[in-house]
Amino acid sequence: MATQVTSAVLNPEGYRTITPDGAPPGRGASSGMAPRLDTLKGKTVYLVDTGFGGSGKFLDEMQSWFQEHMPAVKTVRRRKPGNVFRDDTKDLWLEIEEHGDAAILGVAG
Amino acid sequence: MAVATCSRTLEQEYGIPTAPVSTLEFAAVLADDRRFHGVPLRFTYTPHPVAGMTAAVLRKYIEGTDPASHRSVTDEIIEALTKPLGEDERADTYVPVTRTGVRQALLEPDTEDNLQRLFYERGWTDGLPIILPTEERVGHMLTGTTHAPDEVVGEIYLHDTREHLKFTVEMVAIVGVMAGARPEHLPVLLAVASTGQPSIPGSTTPFATMLLVNGPIRNEIEMNSGIGAFSPRALANSVIGRAWTLLSINWGYFRLRKQFWTSQGNPIGYNNMCVAENEERSPWEPFHAQKGYEAHESAVSLFRGWNFINNVVGSSRRSIGEDMFTQLRPLPGLFSAATLILDPLVARHLKHDEGFQTKLDFCRWLSLNFKMPAGEFWDNDLIDMLMGPVAIQGVEPYATWKKLPKDALIAPYDKPENMNIVVVGGETSPMWKVSDFSHTVSASVDKWRAKPLADGCADGSCGLPDEPSNGAH
């Protein structure tokens, strides 16, 4: 015997926001990317560990790599203070702004 | 996401060029993040995972290729910082949003087998057969509350699409039917749903949850708080716990690699440790009363964590508290989070024989007396990840603990108010469970009831099984 049932709840796979071309919504305005450097030679690059497992060790190895292969680049290792899931520091960003030229951040995942 | 968020801040607010790095596993999430924010961060990807790898492996990652682009990792990082922005890196164009896929009120009639298959294949179930939510069944379920079917119960936030999705009383009722619940269970389901908390949060870790019910409703709906309360036996415990999972599924939290990331999962997710507190046999105030509810009110409380460790046969060679040290030690002790589930025999012994007048008294004793080496504490990766940066920030006592020699003893549960005690069990053995679960939220059940609490149930006695007579089998 055929049964008719109420359609299931809310599942966003069947009921979601999509754009006319099928892509999820974008909210971009301007890219806001910083100007790039001409070269890393003589520059200070901060290696910022955002706190996920293994990130610190990865950036330690990255620092060693720079020392071996690009000794003209000064590297500074830091760990982001505060909540590992949030951007909740200003002191570190101000330090990088004052003393640094670029930053490598990682590792997500 | 923190890597992307922090990189955007440095790029946009401080004018610092960045080279963010992620493992390949999160490339799709970061693509969504880019679409949403419109900032073309130059990510370099490594193989997954980074966590747990040796320095030698990580060095190979650095000297190897990006598995997404197949280009040298170091070349990409250097380019990310030095190559001028190209035309293809300009801001994404804003596209107006339209809603599609409006849900049908009813599915087309079909056989039970076909509909069961349809629900499963659409990802609306936990894999087990469901009770099909016919109009009649949903209508019957709705008699469990006086609230209108279209009343909004709450909303949830989906990180991948950045959507806030509202859900109604009827939607919760449908899930209740699917889980096998009865109308009298609906107020509990609505209370759980009103929190908007999923039973499995989006995390790669094996998160698990616990659903605790307090107050007269426990006995009215015949929840088990006694023998085998955590075992699959009582209908109310089973269907309410399952309904929370089905709610979470239909909120979208089980979509692979969008909201659902847990690498191995956790079997607790099948029922979410749905249980009632054995208030009648507990010597202490019930849990919801500790959270501001009156004892005669009914409430649900939700907990979240990873691990439960059982004491199996009690403790006759040392005190219960000292025995608990051995169970607390392997747990992370994250900001003092712990939940202890005590059999009433244990709870009454602690109060009447050892003098702990309140649950908090015992938590304070554990807080003061359980100690471990600072090195062992900080060597736990979860502690390092979540508490290490707080120590760096200078928050005490963690900042001081971080500076101690590895063998210096610390009392890691420094906040006894973050430790919870719940009394559950049937008094066949003086046992307990120790967990790293933290209490996340409590919510009123009474708000959602179909009718005021009957006088006869004010003491919570209605629904209790009859006392067994002598010789009962």
Side-chain angles (χ1 to χ4, degrees):
Chain A
M1 186 180 118
T3 303
Q4 193 166 30
V5 300
T6 307
S7 181
V9 284
L10 184 66
N11 195 308
E13 282 301 290
Y15 179 66
R16 64 184 307 175
T17 303
I18 62 170
T19 54
D21 64 358
R27 202 188 66 174
S30 67
S31 82
M33 294 278 280
R36 294 353 243 182
L37 304 174
D38 295 333
T39 175
L40 293 186
K41 194 173 179 182
K43 300 295 191 330
T44 299
V45 177
Y46 273 72
L47 307 175
V48 181
D49 165 16
T50 53
F52 283 99
S55 299
K57 202 184 280 187
F58 179 90
L59 290 171
D60 286 343
E61 287 302 311
M62 180 65 76
Q63 187 170 39
S64 296
W65 185 90
F66 270 105
Q67 287 164 353
E68 292 166 23
H69 297 274
M70 299 181 74
V73 179
K74 181 185 176 188
T75 54
V76 179
R77 273 280 285 113
R78 287 285 184 271
R79 181 166 180 180
K80 188 191 89 61
N83 188 309
V84 72
F85 298 109
R86 295 189 191 130
D87 174 11
D88 56 357
T89 181
K90 279 200 172 179
D91 291 350
L92 179 56
W93 306 153
L94 287 169
E95 179 189 333
I96 295 173
E97 182 182 41
E98 185 174 356
H99 301 292
D101 299 294
I104 299 170
L105 295 92
V107 176
Chain B
M1 287 300 185
V3 171
T5 308
C6 294
S7 297
R8 272 196 303 276
T9 298
L10 280 170
E11 294 271 358
Q12 297 187 311
E13 296 180 28
Y14 295 87
I16 298 292
T18 65
V21 181
S22 171
T23 69
L24 185 63
E25 181 69 17
F26 296 96
V29 175
L30 291 166
D32 282 343
D33 186 74
R34 171 178 169 156
R35 262 194 300 273
F36 180 71
H37 290 284
V39 182
L41 294 171
R42 291 171 161 182
F43 264 94
T44 297
Y45 294 100
T46 71
H48 184 75
V50 162
M53 296 297 105
T54 62
V57 170
L58 296 174
R59 188 58 175 250
K60 282 183 184 171
Y61 287 4
I62 291 166
E63 294 179 341
T65 55
D66 176 332
S69 67
H70 305 293
R71 297 185 58 231
S72 157
V73 163
T74 49
D75 284 354
E76 275 197 344
I77 288 174
I78 292 164
E79 275 191 18
L81 300 174
T82 58
K83 185 181 173 186
L85 298 179
E87 279 298 305
D88 60 336
E89 292 177 301
R90 65 181 183 275
D92 293 342
T93 307
Y94 176 79
V95 181
V97 169
T98 57
R99 260 200 188 284
T100 63
V102 176
R103 293 168 306 114
Q104 301 164 261
L106 291 167
L107 296 175
E108 292 298 316
D110 209 333
T111 64
E112 171 145 10
D113 283 351
N114 286 344
L115 287 167
Q116 288 282 357
R117 186 181 296 275
L118 178 75
F119 270 64
Y120 174 66
E121 289 176 349
R122 287 192 179 182
W124 294 344
T125 78
D126 52 9
L128 295 171
I130 55 158
I131 305 298
L132 291 170
T134 62
E135 274 190 291
E136 183 183 9
R137 287 172 180 157
V138 173
H140 181 55
M141 178 63 68
L142 286 166
T143 64
T145 183
T146 50
H147 290 253
D150 60 353
E151 179 179 331
V152 172
V153 178
E155 68 176 32
I156 46 100
Y157 178 69
L158 299 177
H159 290 277
D160 58 325
T161 60
R162 271 76 176 179
E163 287 178 285
H164 293 271
L165 295 184
K166 291 181 169 58
F167 51 93
T168 64
V169 169
E170 183 185 37
M171 289 172 174
V172 177
I174 293 169
V175 167
V177 171
M178 290 164 62
R182 296 173 177 171
E184 59 266 34
H185 304 144
L186 185 58
V188 179
L189 304 186
L190 288 165
V192 173
S194 72
T195 68
Q197 290 204 359
S199 64
I200 297 196
S203 170
T204 56
T205 68
F207 258 129
T209 40
M210 183 172 85
L211 194 171
L212 175 71
V213 181
N214 276 105
I217 190 84
R218 296 165 305 128
N219 296 327
E220 293 170 46
I221 61 176
E222 299 183 13
M223 287 196 75
N224 186 8
S225 62
I227 293 178
F230 286 108
S231 297
R233 180 170 171 268
L235 185 145
N237 299 42
S238 295
V239 299
I240 292 170
R242 185 191 186 196
W244 191 17
T245 298
L246 291 175
L247 264 177
S248 307
I249 289 169
N250 286 287
W251 282 341
Y253 278 91
F254 280 52
R255 290 168 301 136
L256 297 183
R257 288 187 164 84
K258 290 178 179 172
Q259 295 278 147
F260 191 66
W261 294 93
T262 175
S263 196
Q264 291 187 310
N266 195 317
I268 290 174
Y270 278 101
N271 179 253
N272 304 310
M273 298 188 71
C274 179
V275 78
E277 188 164 28
N278 195 339
E279 297 176 20
E280 291 76 10
R281 301 296 294 165
S282 169
W284 294 317
E285 66 176 340
F287 186 81
H288 69 317
Q290 295 179 272
K291 300 301 171 189
Y293 292 89
E294 298 291 335
H296 65 267
E297 293 179 303
S298 295
V300 295
S301 297
L302 307 182
F303 301 74
R304 180 184 296 173
W306 297 273
N307 304 287
F308 261 91
I309 300 175
N310 289 286
N311 166 280
V312 182
V313 291
S315 179
S316 57
R317 297 171 189 276
R318 52 192 168 195
S319 75
I320 289 169
E322 288 167 334
D323 200 88
M324 282 184 183
F325 295 169
T326 65
Q327 291 115 38
L328 286 170
R329 189 152 182 162
L331 298 175
L334 195 61
F335 298 107
S336 298
T339 296
L340 316 176
I341 311 289
L342 310 184
D343 189 273
L345 293 173
V346 174
R348 291 206 301 277
H349 170 76
L350 288 173
K351 178 169 183 177
H352 301 313
D353 302 325
E354 297 196 21
F356 296 106
Q357 293 304 306
T358 66
K359 291 175 175 176
L360 186 57
D361 284 347
F362 184 56
C363 294
R364 286 194 184 110
W365 185 89
L366 287 172
S367 169
L368 285 172
N369 291 283
F370 172 62
K371 294 187 171 70
M372 70 190 299
E376 186 178 325
F377 179 76
W378 289 114
D379 280 347
N380 182 309
D381 274 23
L382 192 67
I383 292 292
D384 176 68
M385 183 171 90
L386 297 175
M387 295 180 71
V390 177
I392 293 170
Q393 226 172 12
V395 175
E396 294 293 354
Y398 316 122
T400 297
W401 293 356
K402 193 75 176 168
K403 296 171 191 158
L404 290 173
K406 281 203 161 199
D407 58 354
L409 292 179
I410 61 170
Y413 291 86
D414 64 304
K415 294 182 175 56
E417 65 275 14
N418 288 356
M419 305 173 81
N420 310 295
I421 290 180
V422 179
V423 178
V424 174
E427 304 181 46
T428 60
S429 185
M431 57 177 57
W432 62 86
K433 301 174 188 293
V434 175
S435 80
D436 53 16
F437 279 39
S438 56
H439 168 248
T440 57
V441 67
S442 295
S444 169
V445 170
D446 294 336
K447 173 184 175 183
W448 301 101
R449 283 176 179 274
K451 54 189 177 186
L453 189 60
D455 289 343
C457 280
D459 62 356
S461 62
C462 59
L464 280 173
D466 294 337
E467 288 286 330
S469 58
N470 287 340
H473 53 276

